[in-house]
Amino acid sequence: MDETENPIEELCNLLEEMLQHNAADTSLNAWASALKFKASSTNEAIKGLAKVIALLGRCEAAAQHIPGDKDLFLKPLRRVQFMLDNQNLNKPWQHSINYLDGETMTGLRYGVYAINQFYPGAQPETSSRIRDYIQKIDDLLEEFINSDLPDEVKNLFAKHLQALRAALTSIRINGMENLEETLDAIYGSLYRRSEAILEASPGNEGIIRKFMEMLGHANELASGWENASALLTYSSTLLLPLIKSVV
């Protein structure tokens, strides 16, 4: 996985490469060359173009994080979408190049800059930390699956880890809001099930401590590095008996 995630940059780079393709060649061959699939394979062609359509969706979702007049960034994306909607793959690539005029490409390049400023997943530090954090969640989930915890408690923690993983993955598209909502739900669930967790704690303090530390780090990410872990502070009094049991 790359250190940064800027879908508009990915799209812009793809289209700039395609603009270098022989305009007299077919659109199918132009896409095949850029996306590295065999033009003779219908299956590969469908999968390749489906990825482009999905990339456009990611671009539009990312553009929602840009403040101000979003139409400035959505307009070139819609023109690319219009190109795809009206494309005949057997006709010369020149017919499609006409959609990728100077205004459209300039708009995309400006979108690359704007996304780098405002899109959470495009921030190198945040992107790298999300990647590392997801790997730690996967490792801890494996530990819980192989632990001696009662099935009820094991399933509870596994469910929360999977929800946390999904929320972190969605930061690239939806920002921090979903992560904050997920943490709120997890803290509430832990409080409601604290009695069962406490009963299962003896002999399992280590793995439960890892889970609580994982939540603390996720909370730091959601609250921002300069904030004082607002969610954890809010929930600490409710979860104090549980926290003390594993410290």
Side-chain angles (χ1 to χ4, degrees), residues 35 44-55:
L35 297 173
E44 289 186 25
I46 291 173
K47 288 182 178 178
L49 291 173
K51 289 181 180 179
V52 177
I53 294 171
L55 175 58

Side-chain angles (χ1 to χ4, degrees), residues 12-82:
C12 189
N13 289 342
L14 172 65
L15 295 177
E16 286 180 337
E17 179 182 346
M18 294 188 68
L19 284 172
Q20 304 303 314
H21 195 84
N22 184 356
D25 200 359
T26 65
S27 291
L28 177 60
N29 286 338
W31 285 112
S33 176
L35 297 173
K36 308 297 186 294
F37 65 77
K38 295 178 182 178
S40 59
S41 172
T42 301
N43 186 47
E44 289 186 25
I46 291 173
K47 288 182 178 178
L49 291 173
K51 289 181 180 179
V52 177
I53 294 171
L55 175 58
L56 270 171
R58 286 165 49 210
C59 290
E60 291 188 8
Q64 300 303 319
H65 292 274
I66 304 173
D69 185 4
K70 293 178 177 57
D71 196 56
L72 292 172
F73 309 99
L74 293 174
K75 184 178 178 180
L77 297 176
R78 289 167 182 157
R79 187 159 177 82
V80 175
Q81 181 67 63
F82 191 69

